[in-house]
Amino acid sequence: MLEELLKKCNISELMDHEENLRRQIQRLDNEMQTLVYENYNKFINATQTVKKMSTHFDKMEDQLKQLSENMEKITSCSEGISKNLVSRRQELAKLSATDGVLKKLQFLFDLPPRMRTLLLERRYAEAVTSYKRASPTLERYGHFPFIKTIEEECSQILSQLKDELYGQLSDIEINTHNLVNMLNLLIELNESPNELAAAFLAASRKVLNNNLDTMREEILNFSRKNTVEGTQAMDVLEFMDLASNGFLSSLSTTITSYKEIFIRKLALSENIDDDALVDSIKSFVGEMMAEFFEQIKLRLSIEPFNTIEIALFVRALDRMYRRLEVLTTVFGYYNFTTEAYAIIWESSSHQWSKALELIKTKFSNELVNARHGIVSITSSEAKDRPTLSDILVSLETTLSESVKEVVKSLEVFIGPELSYLSKTNFRDDFILEIREKIVVAIIKHVIILSSDHCKSTSSGVPLLVLLLSRLNLDLDVSMITYLINFTEEQLFISRDMKPYPHLTQLRQATRESAQNLINCYVRLEGHSLSQMIKKSVETRDWSSGIEPRAVRSVMKRVVEDVSLLDSQVGHLYEEGSRADRSSESSRSRTNFSAIGFPTSKQYPKSSWSSYGANSIDNSLISNIQKLFSEKIEIFSPVEFTKLSIATGVIKIGLKTFLECVRLSTFSKYGLQQVQVDGYYLQTHLWRFVTDEKLVQNMIEEVLRSAIIRCIEPTLMEMSIVDKICEGR
């Protein structure tokens, strides 16, 4: 059953294919019939055309036969005519040759006057062309006397022409195009290329020297501008345009013309020494560029530093570099960009050196203002007096802002659009130089300037030394790191570039400077205090006098000066740490009337009352107490705290008091006056020192020394001393 079904399916498919074929054949028949119907008229027309062509070909064949016969007749006639004209043709050829010779002779006869006329009219090219045209004939027939005469006359005219051309080569007003034309004419006249090259370079030198003179004049005008008001001068960018469009353009044209005329054009000549011509242009360009670079360096070196106009300076440098790149390509023998880079680096160095001087000037001016501010602080009549902290802030702000302003302005030297950055290491070297030659240099300058102030002893210097000590300390603590980091961030320092390697040493230098300054301040203030104490002791007669009834005024002045010093130092330095108070001196006393002092404290009276005339031997007491007392170092290093600074000053003053007492002789009342003065100092100075025992020990040493130097050592009762010191 299945097989039968399959057979039925195949038969049906075949029948379908057969039906499709029949339909396609029928469609093709219809299309053929359509084509026949549409082109029937064309077939009929083609048949008629063929019939007409066969008819016409028969007529054309007859016409061609007739034409052939006519051509044969013409040929025979032409041959006859040619035979008859042979003799006449030969005669015409002779006449034509004779006419050509006559025209040449006429040209030769007319050549000298024609050349003279062209020479007078300065139509040099036509004169040379006329001579070159006649030159072969003159050489060929030069053995004839009249031809030789013409040749000699033409030679004289050519000599005049050459002299005039050579004369015009030295004219600086002649343009390059005319100069090249004259050289080509002289070359056509077989002049020596070496002589022509020398003449050409000499003429070009005059033009270039004229450009250099213009540059020198502008440099002179710019120099006068700084001294004479109203003088007009080009800025640095205009000057560079003048140099580029004048000298460099002329030199580039000279090089191009020279190479075109003397090197390329004459390269195939066998009698030309190419090496000599190349050496000539090398020597010429080297000399002229040396003078050019000298003027450029001079102009760039006198350009002042200005944070606003520094961009013009950088654009001028880049423009010079670009033009020298072009000149290097034109010349081909030297690389002028190497010298250009050296000039850029040198002039940039001059600029940041001037920038450093500007910062130094601003800092020095601010120091002058600080000195004036200090004078106003010490003046009792001044109103709205600034504090030391205000002066310090102004000084540090001026220094920091000046450095930042300069660094920001110098950033234009490494702009991404500058051409000299792409082929050199200028950027990295520049960043390192700015960091070293400006930031580090100004810090070192501050250190040196501070040390110079420390050596001075003029009025008002101690407070300025104190101010500079705090400035140096702030440099160590924060400002150095901040300024260097700012510089590196502002100039986009690369990650592979090492940070400043000497930061630790620089900070150490500023800290040492701050330490020296604070030690100097202590010595200066201590010296001032000592002079006051020394004068008060030396001018008094201690061997006579009455019983003391008050504290000497100089001791009150000492306390007042120390109080003022403590207040001034407190504006710049922290309080500092104080040693723990001893248990034996913990009792408080009543308030004293000294202005600005808080409550004092009582010290044991036993340390004062033990020094009596009938107790024990004075020298033995002194020696025993010296054995058990701590050694006090007077000029020990001072810490950066208010208490340490005041302690250093007080130690120097008390040490001077002690030495003055040791050199004096005291009566009974003189000793008691020292006792009163010492007790007054002890009760008031303890609050200004780091350790109150220091003041106590030093004043006790003063009292012991006074007892030793006393004729009748008798101390006053402490209750009376206390009342005198309280002013009762």
Side-chain angles (χ1 to χ4, degrees), residues 215-226:
M215 294 171 60
R216 293 188 185 97
E217 183 179 355
E218 286 301 327
I219 294 173
L220 184 60
N221 288 338
F222 188 82
S223 301
R224 291 173 178 172
K225 179 182 177 182
N226 299 328

Side-chain angles (χ1 to χ4, degrees), residues 61 121 147 323 374 453 706:
E61 187 176 357
E121 295 177 356
I147 297 296
R323 291 303 298 266
I374 289 172
H453 278 80

Side-chain angles (χ1 to χ4, degrees), residues 670-688:
L671 172 62
Q672 292 178 356
Q673 184 65 57
V674 171
Q675 181 184 7
V676 171
D677 293 344
Y679 186 72
Y680 181 82
L681 293 177
Q682 180 180 347
T683 56
H684 288 83
L685 296 181
W686 68 270
R687 69 188 74 254
F688 302 113

Side-chain angles (χ1 to χ4, degrees), residues 31 56 99 110 204 262 264 280 380 420 431 463 486 534 536 596 617 644 658 675 681 684:
E31 291 177 355
H56 292 165
D99 182 65
D110 294 339
S204 300
F262 298 104
R264 296 191 184 97
S280 296
S380 59
Y420 59 80
I431 294 173
L463 283 181
F486 173 84
K534 180 181 178 181
S536 69
D617 183 66
S644 179
L658 173 62
Q675 181 184 7
L681 293 177
H684 288 83

